[in-house]
Amino acid sequence: MQKLLRDSHTIAIVGLSPIPSKPSYQVALYLQQKGYKIIPVYPRGGEILGERVYKSIKEIKESVDIFVIFRSGEKCYTITQEILSTHSPKAIWLQLGIINDEAKALAESQGVRFVQDCCIKIQREKNE
């Protein structure tokens, strides 16, 4: 995991809330402060943390190293399908408390690393 985080530069956060007190916002802010390029994905669009918000994964045209998902576990298979149909990330990462074994099997069958039930911020802090 530490190598993945060291070798990654661009992180899309699916379900990034514009509300500063929400965990997704706090994680995104932390990652941004550590030098990662953040790509917010949120259905209302707009701007979060100074970055353009994409309403869907399909709108993202740039290369993404890691997709971090802040959505309920049951939605993760469909989200994983959408990611894999439009991108070739190094990893798909489900945040703490989010699990979907079918999404994991799908990602791994296409050679994409899959992390679930794990906080990317906590893992990144281990590099400090």
Side-chain angles (χ1 to χ4, degrees), residues 96-125:
L96 200 59
I98 305 171
I99 297 170
N100 188 303
D101 291 330
E102 292 81 17
K104 179 179 181 176
L106 175 62
E108 289 178 346
S109 75
Q110 295 193 28
V112 175
R113 183 157 185 193
F114 194 90
V115 178
Q116 59 183 350
D117 192 23
C118 186
C119 179
I120 194 168
K121 178 180 180 286
I122 292 170
Q123 290 303 312
R124 175 57 182 78
E125 287 173 334

Side-chain angles (χ1 to χ4, degrees), residues 15-126:
L16 175 52
S17 173
I19 301 168
S21 62
K22 295 283 188 172
S24 62
Y25 187 98
Q26 292 299 312
V27 167
L29 177 62
Y30 170 83
L31 292 171
Q32 192 178 55
Q33 290 171 341
K34 293 300 175 186
Y36 295 97
K37 162 89 169 127
I38 298 300
I39 300 175
V41 181
Y42 188 73
R44 295 189 188 121
E47 187 176 288
I48 300 174
L49 293 169
E51 298 290 344
R52 173 190 171 201
V53 176
Y54 293 86
K55 293 182 180 180
S56 75
I57 292 161
K58 293 176 185 173
E59 288 183 8
I60 301 169
K61 300 302 179 208
E62 64 190 283
S63 178
V64 175
D65 295 313
I66 303 172
F67 279 87
V68 176
I69 302 175
F70 278 92
R71 300 292 306 275
S72 63
E74 61 268 8
K75 295 181 179 174
C76 290
Y77 184 80
T78 302
I79 293 168
T80 298
Q81 285 180 310
E82 186 176 352
I83 291 168
L84 296 173
S85 72
T86 55
H87 296 276
S88 298
K90 294 177 184 174
I92 297 173
W93 193 303
L94 278 53
Q95 275 298 110
L96 200 59
I98 305 171
I99 297 170
N100 188 303
D101 291 330
E102 292 81 17
K104 179 179 181 176
L106 175 62
E108 289 178 346
S109 75
Q110 295 193 28
V112 175
R113 183 157 185 193
F114 194 90
V115 178
Q116 59 183 350
D117 192 23
C118 186
C119 179
I120 194 168
K121 178 180 180 286
I122 292 170
Q123 290 303 312
R124 175 57 182 78
E125 287 173 334
K126 291 179 180 180

